Amino acid sequence: EYCELLEENRKFVIANQLFKSGTSIGANVREAQNAESKVDFIHKLKIAAKGADETEYWLILCERSKKYPDPSALKEKLNSIHNVISKIIITSKKN
C-alpha cells in the first residue's frame, strides 16, 4: 500500500525499489523454509536479512525526503521482522 501511495505521488523509482526489496524478504524466508540443509537455511535467511537492510535504506530515504509519505509505521514493522530473522539465524547457528 505504501508503494502504491508513492506511485500516486509520482515517486516511481523509489516505489519500485522499495517494492522489490520489501517483497524479497518474504520470498527468501519462504525459500529458507524449503532449504536442503541447515547451511542452506541460514544462507537464505541471511539473504532475507540483506533485503530487510535494503528496504530500511529506501524507507530512510523516504523519511528524509520532503513531500514523501511518512514511513515510520513501516520502519517499526520492518525492525520487528529484522529482529526475528536475526534471532532465527543466531539460534540456528548454535544448534
Side-chain angles (χ1 to χ4, degrees):
E1 291 175 4
Y2 185 79
C3 291
E4 289 174 0
L5 187 56
L6 289 175
E7 287 179 350
E8 288 173 13
N9 290 307
R10 305 185 55 76
K11 311 296 185 195
F12 300 113
V13 174
I14 299 293
N16 188 38
Q17 292 294 333
L18 187 57
F19 186 78
K20 286 181 186 179
S21 65
T23 56
S24 78
I25 300 166
N28 283 295
V29 168
R30 184 75 180 231
E31 239 184 275
Q33 292 173 332
N34 295 305
E36 296 178 14
S37 67
K38 184 175 174 180
V39 172
D40 188 36
F41 176 78
I42 292 169
H43 176 72
K44 285 176 172 46
L45 283 178
K46 284 183 177 181
I47 294 170
K50 287 181 182 182
D53 287 339
E54 181 181 351
T55 302
E56 181 183 31
Y57 169 77
W58 295 117
L59 291 174
I60 288 170
L61 284 184
C62 292
E63 183 178 58
R64 294 182 181 175
S65 298
K66 295 179 182 178
K67 299 182 182 178
Y68 276 68
D70 182 22
S72 299
L74 284 178
K75 283 184 66 185
E76 288 177 29
K77 289 179 183 180
L78 180 63
N79 188 43
S80 295
I81 290 167
H82 196 274
N83 288 341
V84 168
I85 292 170
S86 296
K87 182 67 175 173
I88 293 169
I89 292 170
I90 291 166
T91 302
S92 295
K93 284 181 176 180
K94 288 180 182 177
N95 295 335

